[in-house]
């Protein structure tokens, strides 16, 4: 791979690059030219970095915490004096910008960790169903059909009504529920791959099933898993924010973008900025993730590249 | 065709059974004794009363027996009794069903009516600014949180402009058949509910139309000297429309889930709002009934989708 990457320096035609360079080199080559995707990635990194640095911002820039109330400044209009109110204050005078930064921590954490769980479960079950076929496949397919037939918000309502939710519980719940899409995709790919000659060849020379799955099938499925991951994280953040908005997800005083909108209806007239900002953060984050997913797909899908 | 219908209906049975097991298992996994919850706040209750209540609700029986009893009751239309309303849960849900159906059906009509033309127009202007705009909207429509866009529209159209009402089915005091009034009320929630599906359909139709107009039979149609309009609308579009039915699967699921959130934002008295109120009130029989009810609606819509698919696409083996 390393020698191939050097080819970037040498002026070469696209055609010769394609013949020599690996999948990732090619993908990176076309991604770099995709300004929309690169912009989305940059913005997402910026959002994530500022969320991670939330305590620093709170202490050194805004000189307040996410729970510090100031009853003299309830519903303060957005102002740069002090900078803590640059996005206004909420119904008990807390700085909205600081709460948004901390809310980002919660939303992004849930999104990434739950997606990691989904992908692990989804890829594992998908490989199993697609390669084993027969009864194993039937069982997994039946379970997916069943799970997909319960409207996801209703299922989440049922579960969260029984357990006291919090950021960690919610991550676990979403992590074990949202894997069906990944499984379906991996299962389909595995189904097609296992009939190919190189798999037969591997089997002929006596490779064991786990080795075939991990060394021969997984690397072929993996690139598009990154596409699914981006979209998965986006959907998880949307679901989490909806649940938190309904008061069944992340509970106050921990700020999350969703629960900051819980009471929005009651102060929408008085402080519309409190309605706009948290939703805009969810929207921007999810939009970036979806755009990255689309961009990755265009860069990685050899079928699209051929056209 | 009849065989296909029967087989498809039979396939729904294991799905429904699986759903019922999941719903039952989750509700029994809950920490805490349900009787303690139901009698919460009662201070003069004795251990004997609790034992009697446990027996009354059948909670002293083994879990499998409880499950079978619950399932059998549901098959007879008895979904249990709501604790808050002290009424049969099924009747309460049926009362709310028309409102949800109105919302979902109008949203579906909007999705197809807006999403399909958008996708086709984008494909026919491939690479142009219309195409780029539609493609961008195809992503944006998915990424907007429904409850947020709902709140923004309420602030804009109801609070600031006073053009449209912000909640409910109709103005209190107006006649039930006052159609213009009802349309005004349903417009915003239906639009919000439709948004993600519009994005979905425009993406789908764009890809499909591009696929289809590259096919040989479309070239043949052009070569025959047919007008471009005939080629597109008669030859290409009919085939591009088949996946519209396939896409319905995910779209229907999103509709049922989305309806709950939209109903909450717009105080729309539907099934979702009732279930949500039950969750807030810890009304477990009603929550379980609501989840079973919504899932059954979804299973039935999947069934209808598959039957429609078999009708539209003759290549399906029946």
């Amino acid at each position: 791979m390393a020698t191939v990457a050097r080819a970037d320096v040498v002026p070469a035609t696209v055609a010769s690059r394609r013949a020599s360079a690996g999948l990732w080199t090619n993908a990176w080559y076309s991604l770099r030219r995709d300004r929309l995707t690169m912009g989305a990635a940059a913005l997402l990194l910026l959002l994530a970095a500022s969320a991670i640095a939330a305590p620093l911002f709170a202490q050194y820039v805004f000189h307040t915490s996410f729970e510090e109330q100031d009853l003299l400044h309830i519903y303060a209009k957005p102002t740069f004096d002090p900078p803590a109110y640059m996005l206004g204050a909420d119904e008990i005078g807390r700085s909205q910008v600081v709460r948004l930064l901390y809310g980002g921590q919660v939303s992004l954490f849930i999104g990434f960790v739950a997606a990691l769980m989904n992908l692990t479960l989804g890829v594992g079950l998908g490989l199993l169903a697609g390669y084993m076929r027969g009864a194993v496949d039937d069982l997994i397919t039946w379970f997916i059909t069943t799970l997909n037939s319960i409207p996801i918000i209703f299922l989440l309502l049922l579960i969260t009504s029984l357990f006291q939710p919090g950021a960690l519980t919610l991550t676990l719940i979403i992590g074990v529920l949202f894997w069906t899409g990944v499984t379906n995709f991996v299962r389909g790919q595995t189904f097609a791959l296992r009939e190919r000659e190189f798999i037969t060849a591997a089997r002929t020379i006596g490779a064991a099933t786990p080795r075939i799955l991990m060394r021969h099938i997984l690397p072929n499925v993996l690139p598009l898993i990154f596409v699914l991951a981006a979209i998965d994280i986006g959907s998880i953040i949307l679901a989490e924010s909806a649940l938190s908005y309904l008061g069944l997800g992340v509970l106050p005083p921990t700020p999350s973008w969703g629960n900051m909108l819980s009471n929005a209806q009651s102060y929408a007239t008085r402080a519309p900025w409190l309605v706009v900002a948290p939703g805009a953060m969810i929207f921007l984050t999810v939009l970036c993730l979806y755009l990255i997913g689309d961009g990755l797909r265009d860069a990685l899908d050899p079928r699209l590249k051929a056209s | 065709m009849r065989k296909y219908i029967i087989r498809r209906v039979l396939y729904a049975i294991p799905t429904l059974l699986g759903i019922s097991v999941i719903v039952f298992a989750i509700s029994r996994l809950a920490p805490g004794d349900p009787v303690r919850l139901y009698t919460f706040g009662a201070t003069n209750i004795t251990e004997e009363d609790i034992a009697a209540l446990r027996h009354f609700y059948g909670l002293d029986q083994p879990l499998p027996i409880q499950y079978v009893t619950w399932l059998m009751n549901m098959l007879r239309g008895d979904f249990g009794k709501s604790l808050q309303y002290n009424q049969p849960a099924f009747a309460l849900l049926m009362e709310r069903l028309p409102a949800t159906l109105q919302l979902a059906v109008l949203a579906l009509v909007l999705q197809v009516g807006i999403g399909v033309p958008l996708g086709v127009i984008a494909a026919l202007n491939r690479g142009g600014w219309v195409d780029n705009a539609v493609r961008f909207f195809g992503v944006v429509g998915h990424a907007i949180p429904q409850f947020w866009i709902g709140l923004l529209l309420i602030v804009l159209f109801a609070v600031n402009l006073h053009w449209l009402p912000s909640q409910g089915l109709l103005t209190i005091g107006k006649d039930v058949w006052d159609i213009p009034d009802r349309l005004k009320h349903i417009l915003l929630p239906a639009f919000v509910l439709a948004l993600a599906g519009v994005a979905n359909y425009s993406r789908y139709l764009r890809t499909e139309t591009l696929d289809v107009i590259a096919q040989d039979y479309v070239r043949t149609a052009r070569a025959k000297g047919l007008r471009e309009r005939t080629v597109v609308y008669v030859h290409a579009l009919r085939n591009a429309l088949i996946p519209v039915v396939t896409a319905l699967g995910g779209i229907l699921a999103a509709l049922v889930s989305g309806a709950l959130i939209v109903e909450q934002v717009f105080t729309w008295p539907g099934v979702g709002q009732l279930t949500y109120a039950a969750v807030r009130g810890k009304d477990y029989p009603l929550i379980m009934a609501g989840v079973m009810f919504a899932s059954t609606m979804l299973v039935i819509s999947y069934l209808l989708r598959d039957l429609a698919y078999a009708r539209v696409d003759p290549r399906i083996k029946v």
Side-chain angles (χ1 to χ4, degrees), chain B residues 226-235:
Chain B
L226 292 179
R227 279 180 311 169
E228 185 63 20
R229 213 191 298 159
T230 320
V231 174
V232 170
Y233 291 103
V234 179
H235 293 253

Side-chain angles (χ1 to χ4, degrees), chain A residues 36 142-143 145-155 157-159 161-163 238 241-242 245-248 258 261 264-265 268-269 272 275-280 282-283 286-287 290-291 294 297-298, chain B residues 14-15 18-19 22-23 26-27 29-31 135-136 139-140 142-145 147-148 151-152 154-155 159 203 256-257 260-261 264-265 272 275-276 279-280 282 284 287-288 290-291 294-295 298-299 302:
Chain A
L36 189 61
W142 168 76
F143 194 63
T145 318
T146 305
L147 211 52
N148 280 347
S149 299
I150 310 179
I152 195 70
I153 286 285
F154 280 80
L155 187 58
L157 277 190
L158 176 68
I159 299 175
S161 70
L162 297 167
F163 302 94
L238 275 183
S241 66
Y245 163 73
L246 291 172
L248 297 161
L261 285 164
Q265 240 136 337
T269 37
V275 184
V276 176
I282 306 169
F283 172 55
V286 178
L287 183 65
Y290 284 177
L291 286 174
D294 272 11
R297 177 181 296 138
D298 290 347
Chain B
T15 310
I19 296 171
I22 293 178
V23 170
I26 292 175
S27 60
L29 269 176
R135 283 177 66 188
F136 194 64
V139 186
V140 168
H142 277 288
I144 295 186
F147 59 95
W148 181 58
L151 288 170
L152 290 184
I154 288 178
V155 172
V159 178
R203 276 175 85 122
V256 180
S257 274
L260 187 142
I261 293 166
Q264 204 45 44
V265 175
T275 313
Y276 176 70
V279 169
R280 300 256 72 169
K282 302 268 174 208
Y284 292 112
I287 303 172
M288 287 166 76
V291 178
S295 310
L298 195 54
V299 171
Y302 282 161

Side-chain angles (χ1 to χ4, degrees), chain B residues 61-311:
Chain B
Q61 286 177 320
L63 280 181
I65 306 260
Q66 285 187 40
Y67 168 71
V68 172
T69 319
W70 178 66
L71 189 67
M72 286 304 162
N73 283 341
M74 273 199 304
L75 289 180
R76 283 189 277 116
D78 175 9
F79 279 59
K81 215 168 184 185
S82 154
L83 302 172
Q84 289 174 305
Y85 299 88
N86 201 27
Q87 278 176 35
F90 187 64
L92 287 168
L93 288 163
M94 285 306 281
E95 209 176 280
R96 299 296 193 97
L97 184 62
T100 297
L101 277 184
Q102 282 168 28
L103 194 59
V105 169
L106 184 59
L108 195 60
V109 170
L110 286 176
Q111 288 172 347
V112 178
I114 302 173
V116 170
L118 275 186
V120 175
I121 293 169
L124 297 181
N125 297 294
R126 185 180 191 180
W129 69 269
V130 179
D131 185 28
N132 286 333
V134 171
R135 283 177 66 188
F136 194 64
F137 171 74
V139 186
V140 168
H142 277 288
I144 295 186
Q146 281 170 320
F147 59 95
W148 181 58
I149 194 78
L151 288 170
L152 290 184
L153 291 176
I154 288 178
V155 172
L156 181 64
F157 288 109
V159 178
N160 290 336
L161 296 171
H162 297 288
W163 287 356
L164 292 166
S166 67
Q167 54 173 296
L169 279 176
L170 70 170
T171 312
I172 295 165
K174 288 242 178 156
D175 185 62
V176 189
W177 288 102
D178 189 340
I179 302 295
D181 182 58
R182 296 192 74 136
L183 273 179
K184 264 189 183 169
H185 280 81
I186 204 171
L187 199 63
L188 282 184
F191 174 76
V192 172
L193 188 53
L195 204 59
V198 173
N200 227 332
Y201 269 127
S202 67
R203 276 175 85 122
Y204 245 104
L205 255 294
R206 181 182 174 275
T207 323
E208 261 337 292
T209 312
L210 283 179
D211 262 8
V212 167
I213 53 182
Q215 301 273 331
D216 287 341
Y217 69 85
V218 173
R219 194 177 308 141
T220 312
R222 285 220 180 89
K224 280 197 304 188
L226 292 179
R227 279 180 311 169
E228 185 63 20
R229 213 191 298 159
T230 320
V231 174
V232 170
Y233 291 103
V234 179
H235 293 253
L237 193 57
R238 282 175 94 175
N239 283 294
L241 276 174
I242 293 176
V244 170
V245 186
T246 328
L248 265 179
I251 283 180
L252 289 169
L255 267 184
V256 180
S257 274
L260 187 142
I261 293 166
V262 172
E263 283 172 8
Q264 204 45 44
V265 175
F266 289 94
T267 332
W268 190 263
V271 172
Q273 205 211 24
L274 184 72
T275 313
Y276 176 70
V279 169
R280 300 256 72 169
K282 302 268 174 208
D283 188 346
Y284 292 112
L286 188 53
I287 303 172
M288 287 166 76
V291 178
M292 281 308 295
F293 194 82
S295 310
T296 312
M297 287 206 304
L298 195 54
V299 171
I300 293 173
S301 1
Y302 282 161
L303 196 64
L304 293 176
R305 183 231 11 210
D306 287 353
L307 298 184
Y309 192 56
R311 269 206 82 87

Side-chain angles (χ1 to χ4, degrees), chain A residues 125-133 137 186-188 190-191 194:
Chain A
L125 288 173
L127 284 175
L128 215 63
Y131 195 77
M132 296 299 179
R133 302 196 289 198
D137 182 34
V186 175
R187 174 178 168 272
T190 312
F191 236 85
R194 85 188 292 280

